[in-house]
Amino acid sequence: MGKDATTGLLGLAGELLQQARHGVDGVRDASAETLRFVRSLLTPGGLRGATMETAWLAAHAVLYPWGALAEQLRPEGPYGSYRTDGLPPMQRGLVCSDLEAAGTPIVLVHGIGDNRSIFTFLAAALRRRGFGVVHAVNYSVLTALTGDVRAAAEYLGRCLERIREQTGAESVHVIGHSLGGVIARYHVQKQGGDGHVRSLVTLGSPHAGTMTAYLLPTRLARQLRPGSKLLGELAEPAPGCRTRFLAVWSELDQVMIPQRTACLTHPDLDVLNHRVRDVGHLSLPVDPTIVHTVLTHLTRSDGLSGHPGAQDSDLGHTIPDTECHLSKSQTCQ
């Protein structure tokens, strides 16, 4: 056997051993997170969260067929004439205090196998708060089987461009649930989306991959596994990225395994991570505390630090509507 062949075999063996080691570490982490999940589930808050998840799952099943229809964009929203006398007090307050914020479109991106119906309550809350243009984007339900995050991100980019053209807005806010957050993040970091996405909110998105992605043998699922090439691309340096990030993750998330993989940590990104203790994966866009957090993030001019690096905030449901800004040196635990 030649020297080059021997070297190649040794390299292959080393790579296999490294993958096996990562696999063992992954199983160990998944086991620890499973125990943490069970402990969270058996608390009063966890039982309440499980009940809410079940109830929303039933309601979502009813709304799902309606959500399969594409939403018609309302370019001017209710503020085309800049009159406020016909608006409810809360909407009038945002328009009068910050017309630009009220007129900035908010684009909602659903998760795998889902559609815009997942945002039924969040979209209504955003409109009640005073945001004039709230638009949900549907992408193909076949994405789970035949899709690709990069292609979906390009499609999202075209949708955002169309929305900005029709509304005359220079920038947009994006809220992504589950896979939708990863798609939007890829567009922001790798396709120049940071030039027009002012802020990106992710709800239960697998920023570091999820072990549940091993359940599907598809290209998309492989992209969402821990250590995938695509996630490696997102971990690359992103100097000068202008988008602000809010990443919400839950200890009761039954889809993100380990749960903390929905936490976003990147040295070049302006990130605030919010942890909740008792909200299931599907309930993230409907939970009142999370909805309040998203509204606060989008309406506060100083919503984030303005400096790269992740910060953590713990939103326990025992202290409603409370934010605790922790040191930037702390990471997702």
Side-chain angles (χ1 to χ4, degrees):
M1 182 179 294
K3 182 178 179 180
D4 291 342
T6 302
T7 302
L9 287 174
L10 289 175
L12 178 60
E15 183 177 348
L16 290 174
L17 286 173
Q18 185 175 7
Q19 290 180 357
R21 189 180 302 113
H22 287 320
V24 172
D25 292 340
V27 171
R28 187 184 301 115
D29 290 343
S31 299
E33 291 297 325
T34 299
L35 289 175
R36 178 183 295 183
F37 173 82
V38 172
R39 293 193 193 100
S40 299
L41 182 62
L42 295 179
T43 64
L47 294 175
R48 182 171 58 250
T51 301
M52 180 178 180
E53 181 83 345
T54 303
W56 172 233
L57 177 62
H60 186 41
V62 175
L63 295 170
Y64 189 90
W66 163 80
L69 301 175
E71 184 176 24
Q72 297 300 313
L73 178 65
R74 295 179 295 173
E76 295 183 342
Y79 312 135
S81 61
Y82 295 96
R83 294 182 61 89
T84 62
D85 48 304
L87 299 178
M90 185 174 291
Q91 291 183 340
R92 188 184 308 131
L94 181 61
V95 174
C96 292
S97 63
D98 194 341
L99 182 61
E100 182 181 3
T104 299
I106 299 178
V107 182
L108 310 174
V109 189
H110 62 79
I112 191 168
D114 213 331
N115 60 38
R116 66 187 179 92
S117 62
I118 192 70
F119 295 115
T120 300
F121 295 102
L122 178 58
L126 289 166
R127 293 188 178 102
R128 284 196 303 271
R129 182 62 182 86
F131 291 99
V133 180
V134 181
H135 182 70
V137 173
N138 274 355
Y139 56 86
S140 174
V141 295
L142 297 178
T143 299
L145 300 176
T146 62
D148 172 81
V149 169
R150 300 177 186 87
E154 291 178 355
Y155 172 75
L156 175 62
R158 292 192 295 271
C159 291
L160 298 183
E161 182 178 3
R162 175 176 57 84
I163 291 169
R164 289 190 298 115
E165 287 178 352
Q166 295 187 21
T167 61
E170 295 183 358
S171 61
V172 300
H173 298 300
V174 178
I175 302 175
H177 177 241
S178 196
L179 172 62
V182 177
I183 291 172
R185 182 185 168 194
Y186 194 91
H187 173 65
V188 165
Q189 285 187 234
K190 311 304 291 187
Q191 298 175 348
D194 66 311
H196 51 262
V197 177
R198 181 179 300 181
S199 61
L200 170 57
V201 178
T202 66
L203 307 174
S205 298
H207 293 294
T210 173
M211 300 299 289
T212 55
Y214 284 97
L215 298 176
L216 287 176
T218 65
R219 176 173 57 176
L220 178 73
R222 288 192 293 270
Q223 292 176 339
L224 300 180
R225 294 171 184 173
S228 72
K229 182 179 179 181
L230 183 130
L231 295 180
E233 292 179 32
L234 291 176
E236 293 172 353
C241 183
R242 289 160 285 185
T243 301
R244 302 181 308 167
F245 293 81
L246 171 67
V248 179
W249 67 288
S250 173
E251 291 183 351
L252 203 66
D253 194 322
Q254 72 276 24
V255 176
M256 297 299 108
I257 300 176
Q259 281 75 26
R260 65 175 180 273
T261 58
C263 182
L264 176 54
T265 303
H266 193 295
D268 295 330
L269 302 182
D270 188 357
V271 182
L272 180 62
N273 287 294
H274 278 280
R275 178 180 65 176
V276 294
R277 299 188 179 96
D278 53 8
V279 182
H281 187 74
L282 285 178
S283 302
L284 289 169
V286 301
D287 178 79
T289 302
I290 294 176
V291 171
H292 172 82
T293 301
V294 173
L295 292 173
T296 301
H297 169 74
L298 296 178
T299 54
R300 280 174 44 184
S301 60
D302 61 341
L304 290 179
S305 65
H307 301 284
Q311 298 185 67
D312 290 351
S313 177
D314 188 355
L315 292 184
H317 281 182
T318 56
I319 311 176
D321 302 342
T322 299
E323 298 184 33
C324 177
H325 296 271
L326 306 180
S327 167
K328 288 172 64 175
S329 63
Q330 292 180 276
T331 58
C332 299
Q333 301 295 329

